[in-house]
Amino acid sequence: MSHFIDRRLNGRNKSAVNRQRFIRRYKSQLKRSVAEAVNKRSITDVDSGERVGIPARDISEPLLHHGSGGTRDQVYPGNREFETGDRIRRPPAGGGQGGGQGKASKDGRGEDDFVFELSREEFMDLLFEDLALPNLVRNQLMGTTEFKSVRAGYATDGSPSNIDVVRSLKGAIARRTALGAPSRARIRELEEELAALLAGGAGERDARVVALREEIDALKTRVAALPFIDSFDLRYQSFTKQPEPTSKAVMLCIMDVSGSMDQVRKNLAKRFFILLYLFLQRNYDQIDLVFIRHHTIAQEVDEQDFFYSRETGGTVVSSALNLAHEILRERYDPSVWNIYAAQASDGDNWDSDSNICRDILVDKLMPLMRYFAYVEITPRQHQSLWYAYQEVMALHPHFAMQEIDGADDIFPVFRELFRREPA
């Protein structure tokens, strides 16, 4: 059996192991505190950390101690009040000699809450746990995994077609230079000695001259015998298979910004979409986001305009649905992409337009969709759009709709719409 000890340093002198153990043990209390914190936050700080309080009774550990009854032997320190053999009156059960001011509580509990500070990453993990995009499947390549080849350096063996000529020649030159260096240095020394002898009047038949020439020729033959390239020099380009996700998804975010959507409702809608945006960005790397804002007309905007620009006007919801259909038809093939949509509105719409919205959804959009979530932000009675969408939900089980009355309903509704389906 192998034991691995993680000795990496923890940031800010915090024990990461102990933190994760604490989070696992008290996850239910922490998730409840996180859900409450989301409802109290403003739009701009939804994704920051949080200080959460856990009641002391929820983190109490079992404690073994003697009960109030029974007979037992116990040694007390000596004092000036008792002598050997004195009988000591039994203290009352649960009694104490507290010196606090005021009246005691009825149940004797007065512990403070335990405060635990969650980092941003821990907060987001707890916030989006058990959430997923419904009905996400691999289009075209269902049940398979697609791989792409990526460079992984060089190897000493491989296919001849993968030989790296430049790298191999560099290795060959380095090998020949290293192996021939001693011989070349010796040749230079001998040639200098031979030149000195000849300059001093030595003849060609002199024994030393003949010996030097023979040794020089032998060394040159040795250097020339070094192979230009050897199998040891060959280097092959190495490739590895890297898995590539085949599930492509796109989320259409549709928000009503008409005059009937006052600032409070717009903020609630923005908070819902910010939760959706953070959830998608955190959990899915391969996903496209399309932002559509509408009043009497609809337009595709970027993230900044979608969340922060302000507009007013009448309400024609069908303009947004028609624009969504055009975008899907031009850019997102349903045989390749998993298509999702989320819409937020106050339900206000031209009466004649609600039936048009129903027909667009039933005939054009829902056959392309994996899931469509509609959120209506209104405290008043539902209008024609809600009832038209109910007809859509009756025909398509992957259409879901929920109502939001206030900030406290946003996160529960969000979890209800995007809860992970059981396997």
Side-chain angles (χ1 to χ4, degrees):
M1 180 181 293
S2 301
H3 297 276
F4 296 92
I5 300 176
D6 187 357
R7 299 192 181 277
R8 292 174 295 181
L9 296 178
N10 296 303
R12 298 183 181 179
N13 298 322
K14 295 179 181 178
S15 173
V17 176
N18 291 338
R19 288 180 65 84
Q20 292 302 317
R21 185 185 298 115
F22 180 86
I23 291 174
R24 287 195 303 269
R25 180 176 298 182
Y26 302 107
K27 181 174 290 186
S28 60
Q29 294 93 330
L30 292 173
K31 290 180 68 173
R32 185 167 58 249
S33 299
V34 166
E36 294 173 355
V38 170
N39 294 330
K40 299 175 183 177
R41 291 186 172 194
S42 64
I43 295 174
T44 57
D45 62 351
V46 171
D47 62 338
S48 59
E50 178 69 15
R51 290 172 60 89
V52 297
I54 303 177
R57 62 179 179 274
D58 290 345
I59 61 173
S60 59
E61 298 289 346
L63 179 63
L64 299 178
H65 58 86
H66 292 291
S68 57
T71 302
R72 63 182 184 273
D73 295 331
Q74 188 169 351
V75 178
Y76 291 93
N79 52 57
R80 292 174 294 181
E81 299 180 11
F82 302 103
E83 299 291 341
T84 304
D86 288 349
R87 298 178 66 86
I88 303 174
R89 180 177 299 177
R90 186 190 304 276
Q97 303 297 324
Q101 300 294 326
K103 296 182 179 179
S105 63
K106 180 172 63 176
D107 56 1
R109 297 179 182 272
E111 295 123 335
D112 294 333
D113 288 352
F114 177 79
V115 178
F116 184 77
E117 185 166 353
L118 292 171
S119 66
R120 179 184 182 276
E121 294 297 320
E122 293 166 345
F123 182 86
M124 300 294 284
D125 287 340
L126 292 170
L127 183 63
F128 296 125
E129 190 180 38
D130 301 330
L131 299 181
L133 288 177
N135 309 320
L136 184 66
V137 298
R138 295 180 183 272
N139 290 351
Q140 291 186 341
L141 301 174
M142 295 180 61
T144 65
T145 302
E146 189 177 57
F147 294 90
K148 68 175 181 179
S149 296
V150 296
R151 291 289 302 274
Y154 299 94
T156 57
D157 57 356
S159 172
S161 61
N162 292 333
I163 290 179
D164 191 298
V165 177
V166 175
R167 188 82 175 196
S168 300
L169 290 177
K170 286 182 178 180
I173 292 172
R175 173 185 55 79
R176 291 165 56 201
T177 300
L179 293 178
S183 298
R184 293 190 183 92
R186 180 59 180 167
I187 289 173
R188 287 193 296 269
E189 294 176 359
L190 296 176
E191 287 178 342
E192 292 175 358
E193 184 179 351
L194 177 60
L197 289 175
L198 294 176
E204 289 291 338
R205 296 184 177 277
D206 188 83
R208 180 57 182 162
V209 172
V210 172
L212 288 175
R213 290 192 181 278
E214 291 178 352
E215 186 175 356
I216 290 174
D217 291 340
L219 290 174
K220 287 183 177 180
T221 302
R222 181 182 301 177
V223 172
L226 292 174
F228 178 77
I229 192 166
D230 192 83
S231 59
F232 175 79
D233 305 322
L234 297 180
R235 292 296 180 269
Y236 300 83
Q237 294 181 359
S238 179
F239 297 90
T240 185
K241 296 292 186 179
Q242 180 176 345
E244 189 176 41
T246 57
S247 296
K248 296 181 179 180
V250 56
M251 172 65 76
L252 303 175
C253 300
I254 306 171
M255 182 165 60
D256 182 4
V257 292
S258 62
S260 61
M261 287 277 288
D262 57 24
Q263 195 58 43
V264 174
R265 293 175 188 172
K266 288 180 181 178
N267 286 339
L268 293 178
K270 290 177 183 178
R271 183 173 296 188
F272 174 82
F273 280 114
I274 286 176
L275 279 177
L276 177 62
Y277 177 76
L278 293 173
F279 163 63
L280 296 175
Q281 290 291 329
R282 183 172 183 82
N283 293 279
Y284 300 96
D285 294 330
Q286 303 293 328
I287 192 166
D288 281 9
L289 290 170
V290 177
F291 298 103
I292 299 175
R293 294 163 58 93
H294 74 91
H295 39 86
T296 54
I297 60 174
Q299 58 182 160
E300 183 179 0
V301 297
D302 58 18
E303 174 191 337
Q304 181 71 21
D305 290 339
F306 184 81
F307 286 116
Y308 300 109
S309 66
R310 297 183 179 181
E311 294 185 23
T312 59
T315 308
V316 180
V317 178
S318 62
S319 63
L321 300 180
N322 281 322
L323 178 58
H325 183 256
E326 293 177 7
I327 293 173
L328 295 179
R329 185 180 57 189
E330 295 175 1
R331 307 204 306 250
Y332 300 101
D333 184 355
S335 63
V336 178
W337 292 83
N338 291 275
I339 302 174
Y340 298 87
Q343 180 184 1
S345 172
D346 64 343
D348 189 21
N349 192 28
W350 293 105
D351 290 339
S352 59
D353 188 61
S354 296
N355 291 331
I356 298 176
C357 295
R358 177 199 59 202
D359 295 339
I360 294 174
L361 283 169
V362 172
D363 299 333
K364 297 181 179 180
L365 287 179
M366 294 312 300
L368 309 177
M369 293 284 173
R370 295 291 178 195
Y371 192 68
F372 193 109
Y374 171 66
V375 175
E376 187 162 298
I377 305 171
T378 178
R380 63 175 185 266
Q381 186 176 2
H382 297 298
Q383 301 186 49
S384 59
L385 186 63
W386 178 270
Y387 300 111
Y389 277 8
Q390 283 184 331
E391 298 179 23
V392 178
M393 187 170 60
L395 296 174
H396 295 279
H398 53 291
F399 184 94
M401 51 193 301
Q402 291 286 338
E403 177 185 0
I404 293 177
D405 291 334
D408 293 344
D409 298 331
I410 293 177
F411 188 60
V413 166
F414 180 79
R415 291 191 64 87
E416 178 66 21
L417 291 175
F418 294 100
R419 67 181 184 274
R420 188 186 300 275
E421 298 175 351

